[in-house]
Amino acid sequence: MEGQGAGFRKELVSKLLCLHFRDKKTRVSTDAVQLMAEMLRIFVVEAAVRGVRQAQAEDLPCVDVDQLEKVLPQLLLDF
Amino acid sequence: MEDASAEEQQRLTYQQKLKAAVHYTVGCLCKEVAADREMQFSKQTVAAISEVTFRQCENFAKDLELFARHAKRSTINTDDVKLLARRSNSLLKYITEKNEEIAQVNLEQKAKKKKKPESGNQEAAESVAEAEAVESVG
């Protein structure tokens, strides 16, 4: 299923989430971890792709922080 | 007092390790997008995306915890994740589809394990151990 392409490892996702839980008893089901890994992957890819579109609109060969800054607000609103 | 600051140090180092791992994955994903769209990403851009992703995880984690607690559960499940994806229709649709894909794959894997009793026991034990590991982390 997810053999192609890079992605977030389940163990990493689990640790990232658990880092911020306020209650020690909070746990995450394995399915939820997989789904969150996908969610994070989309987040990163969306940020990257929107950055690319911005750079293309500005006729630039490279996505720099300036382009990222322009797409960040809408990205955060969409998530 | 010394213990508290040592603990704080440990927590910061742990965070740094996680950030580094996120940065690596973000780098890989940016490379894929770059190749696909024939566009370059500056190092600062990759670092910035990585930082934003790490911070967004904090928001996600806290929201997920609150959703589960609101439903009187201590284990976060896929319904909580779907609720997280509510702000954009296309995102919600994609996540819902992915959820069904994942459920389907897991179902098929379980069916395979039932057909192979010898190796199946080993795989079942591994998946139980993985589930326990996921639960015990943090």
Side-chain angles (χ1 to χ4, degrees), chain B residues 76-123:
Chain B
I76 292 166
N77 64 17
T78 52
D79 285 341
D80 302 319
V81 179
K82 279 191 237 174
L83 197 53
L84 201 62
R86 69 196 178 286
R87 292 214 170 94
S88 151
N89 282 338
S90 47
L91 178 64
L92 180 59
K93 192 170 163 230
Y94 183 85
I95 287 291
T96 310
E97 284 171 5
K98 265 295 155 198
N99 185 28
E100 278 155 32
E101 245 186 72
I102 290 174
Q104 184 67 27
V105 168
N106 288 343
L107 221 66
E108 285 169 6
Q109 280 185 348
K110 276 185 191 168
K112 275 187 197 169
K113 283 172 195 171
K114 279 181 182 168
K115 285 181 185 171
K116 294 181 186 178
E118 272 186 6
S119 58
N121 277 339
Q122 200 187 18
E123 280 182 270

Side-chain angles (χ1 to χ4, degrees), chain A residues 17-23 26-28, chain B residues 61 64-65 76:
Chain A
L17 295 176
C18 289
L19 183 66
H20 300 293
F21 290 153
R22 283 197 283 181
D23 190 351
T26 307
R27 297 162 179 197
V28 195
Chain B
L64 289 170
E65 189 178 29
I76 292 166

